[in-house]
Amino acid sequence: MGKALDGVRILDMTHVQSGPTCTQILAWFGADVIKVERPGSGDITRNQLRDVADADSLYFTMLNANKRSITLNPKTDAGKEIFTKLIEECDVMVENFGPGAIDRMGFPWEKIQEINPRLIYASIKGFGPGPYDDCKVYENVAQCTGGAASTTGQIGGVPMVTGAQIGDSGTGLHLVAGILAALFQREASGKGQRVTCAMQDSVLNLCRVKLRDQQRLAHGPLTEYPQYPNGEFGDAVPRAGNASGGGQPGWIVKCKGWETDPDAYIYIIAQAQAFSGLAEAIGRADWLDDSEWNTPGARLPKLAEMFEEIEKWTMTKDKMEAMGILNPLNVPCGPILSMGELAQEESLRQTGTVVEVDHPERGKYLTIGNPIKLSDSPAEVERSPLLGEHTEEILTDVVGLDPEGIERAREQGAI
Ligand code: CAO
């Protein structure tokens, strides 16, 4: 069976993480992704945080699966001609360079539209139009400027960034949605369009519930936050430790072995519907007849005390055991799984979410496969390309150069 994006060709001018996340997903959906890299050096992440000498880093290999690589410098004369032909032959161009970089290569949007009116031109920048649109942005900058850092961290502690790459990979995912929508609209309109995602906007979108809480603050304290009822609320949404972002109280509690295992914890949500089962499981069935405890409203001012009681019980169980008891009681809970545990998790291997890939330079490595599962378009993960591995193939098959043309481009340093 074919793939969802069979026949779609992507001109991939992305680097580092945000853009490559987007084009890797498009490649998993079946698009032919042509990654354009600077001759000689390529994507800077090829040699960042290297664990194996002289082999492409995991940073690169885990973000560039299923792509073809061509080296090309569009700033040279021959490079401009080749780049123009690639724009003609592709359906989508994706880039995440610093502001204005593609324009400075001599390819502003107006010119791109002239070359190929059907091309969808998708970009990631740190900020949208406004006072900061010239700034370069990395993951943690986006987390700070998009509202995530100010609302993450311990109460009274410093702002905190999260390990989830919500700025980079999060924005890449947003861009995928924009590109697919534009491809769909092109079916009717016949025209390409500009798709842009700012990292600040994407992070803010992921922090939507915190902007909700900002507005609720005007009408009184946020009663589900640990600061309630004894702490102070200022003018902005405060950090709330591990409190649940939703309407049901939640917290991380210790499990057996926490003294030596940094991940011996479980997140428990004391959802009202399942509270009786939870109370009975932890040996506090008395709460169910006690008006001080048997309604969500009564528990609200003493959530810390409630989770201390729950923790007394979880500390007698290991995290998987606690999950095994609570799940059948419909108590939403999640053991803290370490990267070591996730790497070994058999069910993730079975679904292709964690995949082992073989690479000619580095040997076998683990990567995350496509987390978006399409029943008629399953993704098979192929190793990332070596720098310029497909240059001649692409110049011949897509650009239509003959061996002399390729040689000329090489002499000019264009490839
Ligand atoms: N041939 C020749 N030159 C090339 C090239 C190629 N194939 N590919 C890129 N270049 C050049 C560009 O033309 C540009 O040169 P000029 O600035 O002189 O015109 C330069 O390489 C790339 O510039 P940059 O600003 O993108 O790179 P940087 O390392 O200084 O900044 C980053 C990196 C990520 C901060 C910046 O690209 C950025 O802000 N991107 C947008 C936001 C984003 O995606 N951030 C997330 C990155 S993932 O953590």
Side-chain angles (χ1 to χ4, degrees):
M1 175 162 320
K3 291 281 160 58
L5 293 186
D6 270 349
V8 174
R9 187 173 278 152
I10 314 282
L11 179 50
D12 181 6
M13 299 290 289
T14 68
H15 68 159
V16 202
Q17 183 179 165
S18 62
T21 298
C22 165
T23 51
Q24 180 169 255
I25 289 176
L26 298 173
W28 282 332
F29 286 155
D32 175 16
V33 176
I34 298 176
K35 182 167 173 107
V36 175
E37 297 183 77
R38 195 197 291 255
S41 50
D43 186 326
I44 194 169
T45 61
R46 282 189 185 266
N47 57 23
Q48 272 181 356
L49 310 177
R50 269 190 174 160
D51 55 328
V52 176
D54 301 325
D56 285 334
S57 70
L58 287 166
Y59 198 157
F60 181 85
T61 54
M62 292 178 74
L63 283 157
N64 291 286
N66 298 56
K67 303 180 186 179
R68 299 199 280 169
S69 166
I70 175 175
T71 52
L72 178 69
N73 183 347
K75 292 173 178 170
T76 60
D77 288 342
K80 278 195 189 352
E81 282 171 30
I82 293 168
F83 194 58
T84 302
K85 184 69 179 162
L86 284 171
I87 291 173
E88 278 172 18
E89 295 297 324
C90 287
D91 299 281
V92 182
M93 173 166 141
V94 190
E95 64 89 22
N96 70 308
F97 291 126
I102 300 285
D103 297 40
R104 290 193 293 278
M105 286 178 179
F107 292 90
W109 171 222
E110 297 70 30
K111 180 163 177 188
I112 290 170
Q113 269 179 308
E114 256 172 49
I115 299 169
N116 180 359
R118 283 177 60 82
L119 189 93
I120 290 151
Y121 176 17
S123 297
I124 291 174
K125 299 289 165 249
F127 294 92
Y132 310 116
D133 57 11
D134 259 358
C135 299
K136 293 188 179 184
V137 170
Y138 282 104
E139 172 67 46
N140 288 346
V141 176
Q143 289 198 25
C144 292
T145 56
S150 82
T151 53
T152 305
Q154 294 302 338
I155 297 149
V158 295
M160 190 71 71
V161 295
T162 159
Q165 305 286 282
I166 58 176
D168 281 340
S169 288
T171 309
L173 287 166
H174 281 86
L175 199 68
V176 170
I179 290 169
L180 296 180
L183 277 170
F184 188 68
Q185 189 169 14
R186 193 180 73 170
E187 290 295 302
S189 72
K191 285 194 332 204
Q193 61 185 297
R194 196 89 169 79
V195 179
T196 53
C197 280
M199 293 170 75
Q200 181 185 43
D201 300 7
S202 299
V203 171
L204 183 56
N205 184 35
L206 298 175
C207 292
R208 175 176 298 264
V209 298
K210 298 297 179 179
L211 189 58
R212 172 200 69 192
D213 292 347
Q214 180 66 34
Q215 297 171 84
R216 290 173 58 222
L217 256 185
H219 302 279
L222 305 171
T223 51
E224 78 282 19
Y225 277 54
Q227 286 86 343
Y228 179 79
N230 302 317
E232 294 275 304
F233 285 90
D235 296 334
V237 176
R239 294 184 267 289
N242 286 315
S244 157
Q248 305 286 353
W251 201 253
I252 288 181
V253 287
K254 293 170 183 160
C255 292
K256 195 153 100 185
W258 66 274
E259 299 90 338
T260 51
D261 176 356
D263 295 309
Y265 291 84
I266 188 167
Y267 200 100
I268 293 185
I269 298 183
Q271 173 165 304
Q273 301 90 304
F275 188 74
S276 57
L278 177 61
E280 280 164 10
I282 68 166
R284 292 305 309 262
D286 58 300
W287 280 350
L288 303 175
D289 300 317
D290 182 347
S291 60
E292 280 294 305
W293 287 98
N294 63 7
T295 63
R299 294 191 288 274
L300 206 49
K302 31 188 185 287
L303 292 181
E305 200 186 323
M306 180 183 80
F307 281 110
E308 275 169 27
E309 285 298 303
I310 294 172
E311 189 170 64
K312 283 181 194 160
W313 175 78
T314 54
M315 282 165 71
T316 67
K317 309 270 176 276
D318 76 38
K319 61 188 178 187
M320 302 314 284
E321 196 184 350
M323 189 191 195
I325 296 169
L326 295 178
N327 256 340
L329 302 173
N330 284 331
V331 177
C333 59
I336 306 303
L337 296 183
S338 70
M339 278 299 148
E341 288 167 317
L342 290 165
Q344 300 300 326
E345 173 62 46
E346 190 48 38
S347 63
L348 296 176
R349 300 291 183 100
Q350 292 297 331
T351 56
T353 297
V354 176
V355 189
E356 190 175 75
V357 188
D358 208 358
H359 187 275
E361 287 174 339
R362 60 176 306 115
K364 290 196 183 351
Y365 65 97
L366 285 186
T367 193
I368 316 281
N370 194 351
I372 307 166
K373 316 292 186 194
L374 270 60
S375 63
D376 286 355
S377 185
E380 288 111 31
V381 179
E382 288 163 18
R383 70 164 174 86
S384 60
L386 302 174
L387 179 59
E389 185 175 344
H390 306 96
T391 300
E392 294 200 4
E393 172 184 306
I394 292 164
L395 288 178
T396 307
D397 298 349
V398 182
V399 179
L401 284 188
D402 57 20
E404 292 83 60
I406 295 176
E407 200 38 48
R408 227 180 2 262
R410 202 181 301 285
E411 279 161 15
Q412 284 188 28
I415 57 174

